[in-house]
Amino acid sequence: AWMHRLLDAALVLPFVPRVIRTSDGASVVEHGGRCWELLSWMPGRADFAVDPRRERLMAACTALAELHLAWIPRVQETGVCPAVLRRLDAWHDWRHHPRPRVEGPYAEPCATLLRLIESRVDWLCASLTPWRTRPVALQPCVCDLWHDHVLFVGNTVGGFIDFGSAEIDHVAVDLARLLGSLVGDDVALWDLGLDAYAQHRPLTLEERTLARDLDSTGTLVAAMNWLRWLLREKRQYERPQDVAARLKELAQRLRQQAQG
């Protein structure tokens, strides 16, 4: 219901889905032991990877700025960035659990990720420790706005989809997730995206730095999560080729970040 109120607050934005309500005004229906929602279908395709034009990158970052502006709270909250705390919790969990046994169909890419994580894991804590005592502005954020959740129609954003992870955080968490998934570690394109965003919602140097720190540490945490899911929890996936591609992408980004 809170997420639906967020979507209602951004109804003026054409790329935000509309919540469809029942005849009595409810936005959630309980049926079969589950909660159901209905949102308007958004046009476009999540195809930035095959058509990575600069105009599209700028459009995505501009749309994100407009969404953040629509979600600015009436009373501004401040506090430690929750995304920083989540990453530090992941570091603590990694440090205090036995290393997962590398086996199964993804053994080779998992072994590669394990080596890369071990070489960078303490760097994660060192990078984020200064942010543990630094208050920042907090507001609703998408928290999972990545490549496959941004639909394009030509050079414009047709829709942002999947708001199920929305929570109170700092806007840098959305910038980190979006830019990291669209342009990886390309510094010039990062600057282009941040500048496009800042044309609508100004960014301080601190906020730009936080976005980059959240992206680089988030890549490491994503690698930790995949090893936990595959090796410790033994999760099964319907499209193993997508899993293999994701593991390869993470390994590539971790190597690039270590060199940079």
Side-chain angles (χ1 to χ4, degrees), residues 138-173:
L138 302 177
Q139 69 163 77
C141 295
V142 185
C143 293
D144 194 26
L145 187 64
W146 67 293
H147 178 282
D148 287 12
H149 294 168
V150 183
L151 308 181
F152 287 95
V153 178
N155 286 340
T156 64
V157 175
F160 285 166
I161 61 173
D162 197 345
F163 292 80
S165 297
E167 60 181 285
I168 300 298
D169 214 307
H170 185 271
V171 297
V173 72

Side-chain angles (χ1 to χ4, degrees), residues 1-7 140-141 166-168:
W2 178 76
M3 180 188 71
H4 291 164
R5 290 195 294 272
L6 290 180
L7 296 179
C141 295
E167 60 181 285
I168 300 298

Side-chain angles (χ1 to χ4, degrees), residues 48-221:
F48 184 87
V50 298
D51 188 8
R53 278 174 277 176
R54 293 164 60 92
E55 294 83 0
R56 294 176 129 215
L57 176 64
M58 295 169 66
C61 292
T62 296
L64 178 57
E66 292 173 345
L67 181 60
H68 284 160
L69 288 173
W71 285 353
I72 290 179
R74 294 180 180 177
V75 179
Q76 183 63 69
E77 298 180 50
T78 61
V80 177
C81 176
V84 168
L85 299 179
R86 289 195 298 272
R87 283 155 173 74
L88 289 171
D89 285 344
W91 170 84
H92 185 272
D93 179 76
W94 182 269
R95 271 310 199 189
H96 291 83
H97 276 84
R99 296 297 174 265
R101 182 178 178 181
V102 179
E103 58 186 3
Y106 306 104
E108 184 175 348
C110 283
T112 299
L113 278 185
L114 184 58
R115 289 193 297 271
L116 290 167
I117 291 171
E118 288 298 300
S119 68
R120 300 274 284 170
V121 65
D122 287 330
W123 164 87
L124 182 152
C125 183
S127 296
L128 292 180
T129 293
W131 295 104
R132 295 183 71 169
T133 56
R134 194 176 302 179
V136 294
L138 302 177
Q139 69 163 77
C141 295
V142 185
C143 293
D144 194 26
L145 187 64
W146 67 293
H147 178 282
D148 287 12
H149 294 168
V150 183
L151 308 181
F152 287 95
V153 178
N155 286 340
T156 64
V157 175
F160 285 166
I161 61 173
D162 197 345
F163 292 80
S165 297
E167 60 181 285
I168 300 298
D169 214 307
H170 185 271
V171 297
V173 72
D174 284 343
L175 283 165
R177 188 75 172 102
L178 178 65
L179 287 170
S181 69
L182 295 184
V183 301
D185 299 295
D186 190 312
V187 175
L189 291 180
W190 261 82
D191 287 339
L192 181 69
L194 291 175
D195 289 344
Y197 179 98
Q199 288 292 318
H200 300 267
R201 183 202 174 279
L203 287 170
T204 66
L205 177 59
E206 179 185 61
E207 290 173 327
R208 289 173 179 255
T209 301
L210 178 57
R212 293 182 184 275
D213 285 348
L214 290 177
D215 171 57
S216 57
T217 55
T219 304
L220 196 59
V221 169

